[in-house]
Amino acid sequence: MSIYQRVIAACTGLVLLAIVSMTYLSYQKGSDVVSDSVRERLNAIATHQQGKIAEVILAWQDRVALIASRTQLRISLQRYGITAQQSDQDKMAAILADAQQSVRAVRGIQVSTLDGKVVASAGEPIQTIARMIEFSLQETNPSLINLASDQTGHLFATLSQAMVIDDVVVGKVQVTLSADELLRTTADTTGLGQTGETLLTARNRQGEAYLLTPLRHRPEFYLQPLRELSSPFAASLDAKSNATLEVASDYRDTVTMVALRPLPTLDWQLAVKMDHAEILAPVSDFRTTVAMAAISLLIAALLLGVLIARAIAGPVTRLAEESRRILGGEYDLRTTENPRAGREILDLSRAINELTDMLIHTNASLERRVAARTQELEQLNETLERRILEQVEARQLIDPHRGQADQS
């Protein structure tokens, strides 16, 4: 792998490692922060809804207590129980009619004697009861008897209270109230986004858990047993505790977070929930933003790597090419000493030039020594040849015939 490729790979790798680490840490931290924030919000909403529903129930009880506290109504009921006079019955009917008109959200009122006989009433009874849940007798007075709905989907609550004179129970009053306030309270999704909702559950006389108010995503399901929903979700709603739960799936097979609150006076359970996907939506958006930023940074890293690689590998490649040309015989060539190329590249260029000069000097010195030695050898050879000729001539002078023989 060339320096050029290594530099690009190093830049890209470092940026990629930094992006992956930052994204992972940011996503984990962001998920925790968002989950904690939503958990706190769900708990706050659950506590708020708990208070509002408690106020609705208290308002129901106050209205029933107000009706039951009418002195003339109690006296007339007591007297009727003794004399059974029609005038007392008519008076009770008039008092109930006035109460039905003056007390808000009252649908119907019935007054009965100790043996359960209805002696006076006012208002209109529910024509056709579509669904109903009957509650066990409570220690509270007034006590909630049932919740019922008619065919149009309107919800009604029926409460009963004993009527007492001088600590003696003379009968009871039973009041049917419109439960629209309860529906509006549980239908309020303020702060719960597109998926959040408030659920209200209770047990009937047989101890079976029921959902009291309509579901946001299945408005037709209310006043029905929880067992008809998914079992794990129904079990989590039936838990009587202050808790925040991570539910694997709700009745829509969707992962949710649920905040639970009990209503001890009625043995009801309140649940406020929200989908995990919506909870983590800001983190998912952040992850998408980080992914786009990561792609941009990777492109920038590649471009930066190319520029750095060119800045480093370019001068080195040029020096290598010039060195090969010098080795090829272009001894007059010198590398370019560019101060802007960097100190290391400049030092390398100078070193190559100095090495080239030294090699040329050494080569020239060697050639001079070889030429001198060659000249010495030629002189020695001439001297030797001259001496040989002199010896031959000398022998000829001494013995001409032998000299001729030597020459031959």
Side-chain angles (χ1 to χ4, degrees):
M1 184 182 290
S2 66
I3 294 178
Y4 187 85
Q5 294 171 331
R6 290 180 181 179
V7 170
I8 294 177
C11 291
T12 305
L14 288 174
V15 172
L16 184 61
L17 178 62
I19 291 173
V20 170
S21 301
M22 181 185 68
T23 303
Y24 176 77
L25 294 175
S26 299
Y27 182 77
Q28 292 299 320
K29 185 64 176 177
S31 298
D32 294 340
V33 170
V34 171
S35 295
D36 291 343
S37 175
V38 173
R39 186 178 290 106
E40 292 178 1
R41 186 173 68 190
L42 283 179
N43 281 313
I45 294 174
T47 301
H48 178 68
Q49 293 287 71
Q50 180 186 33
K52 289 178 66 177
I53 292 174
E55 289 176 0
V56 170
I57 303 301
L58 182 60
W60 291 350
Q61 293 174 336
D62 288 344
R63 291 166 193 165
V64 175
L66 179 63
I67 295 173
S69 66
R70 296 200 174 197
T71 304
Q72 292 300 318
L73 179 63
R74 289 180 290 149
I75 293 174
S76 298
L77 178 60
Q78 183 185 42
R79 192 166 50 235
Y80 181 83
I82 299 172
T83 63
Q85 292 183 3
Q86 183 64 38
S87 60
D88 291 326
Q89 194 172 14
D90 293 340
K91 188 172 184 178
M92 284 188 290
I95 293 172
L96 293 182
D98 177 70
Q100 195 262 334
Q101 293 294 325
S102 60
V103 180
R104 187 166 63 91
V106 174
R107 174 66 180 261
I109 310 173
Q110 291 182 347
V111 172
S112 59
T113 58
L114 292 176
D115 58 4
K117 176 184 177 182
V118 177
V119 296
S121 64
E124 298 179 0
I126 302 174
Q127 295 298 327
T128 304
I129 296 176
R131 298 171 186 173
M132 177 186 289
I133 174 174
E134 295 183 332
F135 302 104
S136 302
L137 292 178
Q138 300 130 28
E139 296 179 358
T140 59
N141 193 27
S143 62
L144 182 65
I145 298 175
N146 63 57
L147 281 179
S149 68
D150 60 15
Q151 290 183 331
T152 62
H154 289 94
L155 193 66
F156 301 94
T158 301
L159 293 88
S160 174
Q161 178 168 335
M163 300 182 71
V164 180
I165 295 180
D166 297 330
D167 296 329
V168 177
V169 178
V170 297
K172 68 176 181 178
V173 62
Q174 182 172 299
V175 182
T176 300
L177 301 167
S178 171
D180 289 342
E181 293 171 290
L182 183 65
L183 290 177
R184 284 194 296 270
T185 300
T186 56
D188 184 6
T189 58
T190 303
L192 295 176
Q194 300 298 318
T195 61
E197 59 184 320
T198 299
L199 299 89
L200 196 58
T201 64
R203 291 185 178 274
N204 63 6
R205 288 182 179 178
Q206 291 73 37
E208 185 175 11
Y210 270 64
L211 181 71
L212 302 183
T213 53
L215 297 170
R216 181 176 185 178
H217 307 287
R218 285 178 60 184
E220 76 284 354
F221 190 93
Y222 64 99
L223 291 182
Q224 296 188 55
L226 279 178
R227 55 181 165 77
E228 297 184 15
L229 298 176
S230 62
S231 297
F233 182 65
S236 66
L237 294 181
D238 198 30
K240 297 293 186 293
S241 63
N242 285 288
T244 304
L245 306 176
E246 304 286 340
V247 180
S249 61
D250 66 355
Y251 59 91
R252 298 170 296 134
D253 293 328
T254 303
V255 178
T256 60
M257 182 183 291
V258 183
L260 301 176
R261 291 292 184 277
L263 293 168
T265 56
L266 294 176
D267 196 28
W268 289 7
Q269 178 73 21
L270 172 71
V272 177
K273 74 178 188 67
M274 192 173 180
D275 289 3
H276 248 285
E278 185 172 10
I279 291 172
L280 297 179
V283 181
S284 300
D285 294 340
F286 171 75
R287 182 173 55 185
T288 302
T289 303
V290 170
M292 297 300 295
I295 294 173
S296 301
L297 287 175
L298 280 177
I299 295 174
L302 286 172
L303 295 176
L304 181 62
V306 170
L307 294 176
I308 295 175
R310 285 182 178 178
I312 296 175
V316 174
T317 303
R318 178 177 51 78
L319 289 175
E321 179 62 27
E322 291 175 347
S323 299
R324 282 193 292 269
R325 290 173 61 187
I326 293 172
L327 289 175
E330 298 184 30
Y331 299 120
D332 294 333
L333 179 64
R334 295 293 182 273
T335 60
T336 303
E337 297 180 5
N338 184 7
R340 299 177 59 184
R343 186 179 64 186
E344 292 80 2
I345 299 298
L346 180 60
D347 291 342
L348 182 58
S349 298
R350 289 174 178 173
I352 291 175
N353 288 337
E354 291 174 0
L355 180 60
T356 301
D357 292 338
M358 185 181 68
L359 290 175
I360 292 174
H361 176 73
T362 301
N363 188 48
S365 176
L366 182 59
E367 288 181 351
R368 286 194 298 271
R369 291 173 62 186
V370 170
R373 186 61 177 169
T374 301
Q375 186 177 4
E376 291 177 0
L377 290 175
E378 288 178 351
Q379 290 177 354
L380 289 174
N381 189 40
E382 290 177 358
T383 302
L384 182 59
E385 289 180 353
R386 189 170 55 252
R387 288 181 179 179
I388 291 172
L389 289 175
E390 290 176 353
Q391 288 180 0
V392 171
E393 289 177 355
R395 288 179 181 178
Q396 286 179 350
L397 291 177
I398 297 171
D399 189 356
H401 298 289
R402 186 176 177 182
Q404 291 177 356
D406 291 337
Q407 291 178 355
S408 63

